[in-house]
Amino acid sequence: TERDLAADARRDEPSGSLREKAGSFKASPRARRLAKQRGIDLNTLHGSGATGRIRDRDVPLVEPGASAPGVSRTTRSVIASRMMASRVSTAPVTLTTVVDCVNLVNLREQFKAVESPVPSFNDFFLKLAAAALQQHPQLAAQWSDAGLVQPRNTNVGFAVDTDAGLLVPVIRDVPNLNLRQIAAQSRELIEKARRGALASREMSEGCFTITNLGSFGIDVFTPIINQPACSTLRIRRIEPRPLADGDRAAVREQVWLSLTFDHRVVDGAPAARFLQTLSKLIANPGPAIL
């Protein structure tokens, strides 16, 4: 009843003493009640409260009606809810730069000769982004009810397009993995995502997100911050472009990078320094990769 929900709302304050654990997640009484009423599994949700606690605003409203082919109403509703929550609760700013990636392309060609399966460019970007985050941990910070939180490990998520919608599996502790391990984990997570077998834990605790539409030939797009992470890296396709070389124009492989970050958490200068460090790592990837 409305009276019951109002009573639950009064109890749904961000106080540590009221954080009730339900199974492997924390959820407020009001959030549990709403999830039950709407037929939503709380394990599929990501909490916006302190320490990831699920609050009533995290429970999407599932409307009756037809859903898109291959996408369940609940899944689409969860995605829509999270996108809108990010849209209204962040202060997004985007920085863009162009990076020479001839050395990166050449390094991947060397891996083709000795590795099977061959690491994707996305695997390289996951490793290099994690290396840059170690130098600029502000870009991995998260905003919570208790203030800024710095995660213990550098867990990097990456966007995967599936029939069920956009999913973001997470690779944990990336700096301590070599490229072969990253490639193996990313392939496993992509395969599980596309057959709908990802566990909730495999999509949680990411502190940074990479989204890459280069394989679709996309040059420009606007990413949405995947909360609770405060920043997302957009990767454009790699292609030969003219580059000034003294009085001449040389054609070299280049890639556009766009970093979208939550200005509540990070200021422009630290974000620019992160992007500058990442650009240098991409231009000379050998030391970080090998």
Side-chain angles (χ1 to χ4, degrees):
T1 66
E2 291 185 2
R3 181 175 297 176
D4 292 331
L5 293 177
D8 285 339
R10 288 192 295 271
R11 294 194 294 269
D12 191 22
E13 296 298 323
S15 168
S17 63
L18 293 180
R19 294 175 192 151
E20 299 182 34
K21 197 167 186 178
S24 60
F25 54 82
K26 296 177 181 178
S28 70
R30 178 175 169 83
R32 289 185 217 159
R33 183 187 295 272
L34 289 174
K36 183 177 180 180
Q37 290 174 350
R38 298 171 185 176
I40 295 173
D41 181 0
L42 285 172
N43 283 296
T44 65
L45 305 182
H46 295 263
S48 62
T51 68
R53 186 180 190 227
I54 299 172
R55 305 176 68 180
D56 63 292
R57 67 188 181 192
D58 301 318
V59 183
L61 176 63
V62 181
E63 296 287 352
S67 58
V71 183
S72 72
R73 286 181 297 170
T74 298
T75 299
R76 192 71 253 173
S77 184
V78 170
I79 293 172
S81 176
R82 296 196 64 202
M83 295 300 99
M84 287 305 300
S86 175
R87 186 72 174 174
V88 302
S89 64
T90 61
V93 176
T94 299
L95 305 177
T96 300
T97 190
V98 185
V99 183
D100 184 307
C101 58
V102 169
N103 290 333
L104 178 64
V105 172
N106 290 340
L107 183 59
R108 185 167 182 265
E109 289 297 319
Q110 294 175 36
F111 271 86
K112 284 184 178 181
V114 296
E115 294 286 341
S116 181
V118 180
S120 68
F121 279 116
N122 222 46
D123 297 328
F124 283 88
F125 287 124
L126 284 164
K127 179 66 176 177
L128 296 174
L133 285 170
Q134 287 192 298
Q135 298 184 45
H136 304 276
Q138 307 100 309
L139 272 295
Q142 299 173 357
W143 184 270
S144 73
D145 292 344
L148 288 181
V149 175
Q150 194 70 42
R152 293 181 179 179
N153 297 319
T154 304
N155 305 329
V156 183
F158 59 102
V160 178
D161 177 48
T162 75
D163 290 340
L166 183 68
L167 300 178
V168 184
V170 174
I171 296 181
R172 285 172 158 71
D173 202 14
V174 177
N176 288 323
L177 300 177
N178 60 39
L179 190 63
R180 180 181 297 173
Q181 292 170 319
I182 292 171
Q185 288 194 31
S186 68
R187 279 174 176 77
E188 179 184 2
L189 290 169
I190 290 170
E191 190 274 332
K192 292 176 73 173
R194 289 179 175 162
R195 61 183 173 88
L198 280 176
S200 177
R201 182 180 180 278
E202 293 172 314
M203 295 184 287
S204 64
E205 300 179 12
C207 67
F208 189 82
T209 305
I210 288 177
T211 176
N212 187 347
L213 292 181
S215 62
F216 293 95
I218 299 299
D219 287 331
V220 178
F221 63 99
T222 303
I224 294 178
I225 296 171
N226 183 43
Q227 293 180 300
C230 76
S231 48
T232 294
L233 180 70
R234 183 204 76 189
I235 302 170
R236 178 178 165 174
R237 60 180 170 175
I238 296 174
E239 64 178 358
R241 295 185 179 90
L243 181 69
D245 183 13
D247 296 332
R248 300 179 304 168
V251 177
R252 296 176 67 86
E253 300 281 354
Q254 298 176 61
V255 63
W256 285 66
L257 304 178
S258 290
L259 176 71
T260 298
F261 60 96
D262 187 348
H263 212 319
R264 300 176 309 161
V265 180
V266 182
D267 289 331
R273 285 191 286 269
F274 166 84
L275 197 55
Q276 185 179 53
T277 295
L278 178 59
S279 298
K280 291 179 180 178
L281 289 170
I282 292 172
N284 182 28
I289 295 295
L290 303 177

